[in-house]
Amino acid sequence: MKYDRTYNFSAGPATMPESVLEEIRDEMMNYRGSGMCVMEMSHRSKMFQQIFEEAKQDLRDLMNIPDNYKILFIQGGATLQFSMIPMNLMKNGKAVYIETGAWSKKAIAEAKKVGEVIVAASSKDKNYTYIPDCSDLDIPEDTDYVYICENETIHGVTWATLPNTKGHVLVSDQSSMFLSKPCNVADYGMIYGGVQKNIGPAGMAIVIIREDLIREDLADLPVYMQYKTHADGDSLYNTPNCWAIYCCGKVFKYLKDLGGLEAMEKINIDKAKVFYDFLEESKMFTGTVVPEARSLMNIPFVTESAELDAEVIAFTKAAGFENLKGHKSVGGLRASIYNAMPKEGVEALVDCLKKFEAEHK
């Protein structure tokens, strides 16, 4: 079947599975005989409650989430979590952060407004192109948690091995790798991610948090900023992002039908290999990340100059490939190849870049 949609390599909002979009389209005007779209539906209605409960259960099944973890759907995206995490988890007012790129750096800046932040390791010295050794970190005993961004969307680095937290709670921002591979949830105190990269439309974050971390003693904290509020209200304290929950639920079912996260990981490894093999062979294009820290989701790469990068962007756009410009903070080029990007899209992009290289020797 001819692929008649644009190959969209955006870092987010990002491409979604075509079969999921077709289902959403077919239900848009009249969801299962209700006579209305899910966007118009009361979040208290029996029909939406079924959508909501199925989404939670499907996510729990996909990730094998233990019973002592809550699943919360919170508006504000991942950025709100930069503040909510220290506000809720800093009992002693101290946390350890690992700085591996733009998003962990932003999280550090927000946490410093709440308490003491110890940056125990950083890869800033080499422009965030690697993951520092975190096997023996200097972690004070009264540290409340250790924080990582497990996949840095802008710099394209990912953690192959989790840090040794020496018994302290691990908090992970998984926004741009969420549901891309199996995850042992019990290794973490909390996992969260904005859904607009790998799961659904923008405007919401999913938080998976161990129940003992949900505090009862934060009455002075604004009510919406308390995890207890969302846990007690089952994510329905106020009107949630019903549309995002509905779309995410469709993606959860799509992943289950595919064979789960083990199957998705195999597809992602195979897909990324196509692009990384090309970068290894190319004389014009170079990957910016050390091999052992390369992301399967976000692949930053460059030519010899910003001027040539701009030519590549214009050339690929004219050929039907969208959003290959690197983030404005780093420049260069970037291909985000999330779960929903078909392998054929990566192969087609590689062919296009080979053509550009051949014409510009």
Side-chain angles (χ1 to χ4, degrees):
M1 183 181 78
K2 181 180 180 294
Y3 191 82
D4 58 0
R5 282 167 32 87
T6 296
Y7 285 124
N8 175 19
F9 293 91
S10 170
T15 189
M16 289 178 63
E18 194 166 351
S19 62
V20 168
L21 292 176
E22 288 170 346
E23 279 187 39
I24 292 169
R25 176 201 63 200
D26 293 344
E27 295 176 346
M28 177 69 78
M29 298 301 292
N30 185 359
Y31 177 77
R32 300 188 183 179
S34 67
M36 65 182 82
C37 174
V38 173
M39 277 190 279
E40 305 168 295
M41 202 173 282
S42 167
H43 62 296
R44 304 290 182 188
S45 68
K46 191 173 181 180
M47 189 159 277
F48 182 74
Q49 281 295 314
Q50 182 180 356
I51 292 170
F52 181 61
E53 293 301 329
E54 284 186 16
K56 283 194 298 180
Q57 189 58 53
D58 286 339
L59 179 58
R60 196 171 288 276
D61 293 344
L62 273 171
M63 297 183 72
N64 295 311
I65 299 172
D67 291 341
N68 64 324
Y69 284 74
K70 292 282 190 182
I71 298 171
L72 310 177
F73 298 91
I74 303 178
Q75 297 179 69
T79 299
L80 181 62
Q81 296 307 310
F82 296 164
S83 301
M84 281 186 73
I85 288 164
M87 285 178 174
N88 283 266
L89 302 188
M90 275 192 178
K91 283 186 177 181
N92 299 318
K94 184 182 293 184
V96 164
Y97 279 65
I98 316 300
E99 185 184 32
T100 54
W103 294 111
S104 50
K105 185 177 179 181
K106 284 179 181 289
I108 288 166
E110 292 303 301
K112 283 181 176 179
K113 297 174 183 177
V114 179
E116 181 183 353
V117 173
I118 299 164
V119 180
S122 174
S123 55
K124 186 178 181 179
D125 61 329
K126 294 184 180 177
N127 196 28
Y128 307 119
T129 55
Y130 71 102
I131 297 293
D133 179 8
C134 293
S135 59
D136 188 22
L137 296 171
D138 184 10
I139 304 176
E141 191 56 40
D142 59 346
T143 295
D144 291 309
Y145 60 88
V146 177
Y147 179 102
I148 63 172
C149 178
E150 204 164 334
N151 189 92
E152 290 277 4
T153 317
I154 291 174
H155 290 90
V157 293
T158 198
W159 289 71
T161 305
L162 294 177
N164 178 5
T165 66
K166 299 181 178 177
H168 293 85
V169 170
L170 177 62
V171 176
S172 176
D173 175 359
Q174 289 193 359
S175 293
S176 53
M177 60 173 285
F178 208 19
L179 302 185
S180 65
K181 64 177 186 176
C183 171
N184 184 18
V185 175
D187 288 341
Y188 307 80
M190 176 178 154
I191 295 166
Y192 77 94
V195 302
Q196 74 276 12
K197 299 175 183 298
N198 223 5
I199 311 173
M204 187 179 75
I206 293 174
V207 171
I208 301 166
I209 183 169
R210 209 171 64 212
E211 289 178 349
D212 64 290
L213 297 176
I214 299 172
R215 293 169 62 182
E216 304 273 349
D217 60 337
L218 296 172
D220 292 337
L221 192 64
V223 65
Y224 195 83
M225 300 295 284
Q226 299 178 41
Y227 290 126
K228 183 180 186 299
T229 299
H230 300 280
D232 288 352
D234 195 17
S235 299
L236 299 171
Y237 170 76
N238 66 332
T239 307
N241 190 333
C242 299
W243 182 250
I245 292 169
Y246 161 72
C247 294
C248 290
K250 292 285 188 189
V251 172
F252 300 156
K253 290 188 184 299
Y254 162 84
L255 289 170
K256 289 179 81 172
D257 291 343
L258 194 68
L261 302 189
E262 291 82 3
M264 192 70 252
E265 181 182 32
K266 290 177 182 176
I267 292 169
N268 285 330
I269 289 171
D270 184 48
K271 186 168 58 178
K273 186 176 186 300
V274 172
F275 205 89
Y276 283 121
D277 283 352
F278 160 70
L279 291 179
E280 291 291 339
E281 296 165 3
S282 175
K283 298 292 190 293
M284 175 180 286
F285 299 100
T286 306
T288 59
V289 176
V290 298
E292 59 270 22
R294 286 172 172 170
S295 170
L296 296 179
M297 300 285 99
N298 311 101
I299 306 178
F301 59 108
V302 293
T303 66
E304 64 184 20
S305 70
E307 291 73 23
L308 191 55
D309 289 345
E311 286 188 48
V312 174
I313 292 163
F315 184 85
T316 53
K317 185 175 178 64
F321 302 94
E322 293 286 343
N323 296 305
L324 284 160
K325 186 177 182 179
H327 192 270
K328 60 185 179 181
S329 64
V330 295
L333 305 151
R334 175 179 54 176
S336 291
I337 54 171
Y338 297 122
N339 286 355
M341 172 58 65
K343 183 179 179 182
E344 294 75 21
V346 179
E347 291 171 334
L349 175 59
V350 165
D351 287 343
C352 182
L353 294 174
K354 285 181 177 178
K355 181 180 179 184
F356 180 91
E357 184 169 355
E359 292 177 2
H360 288 74
K361 278 187 178 177

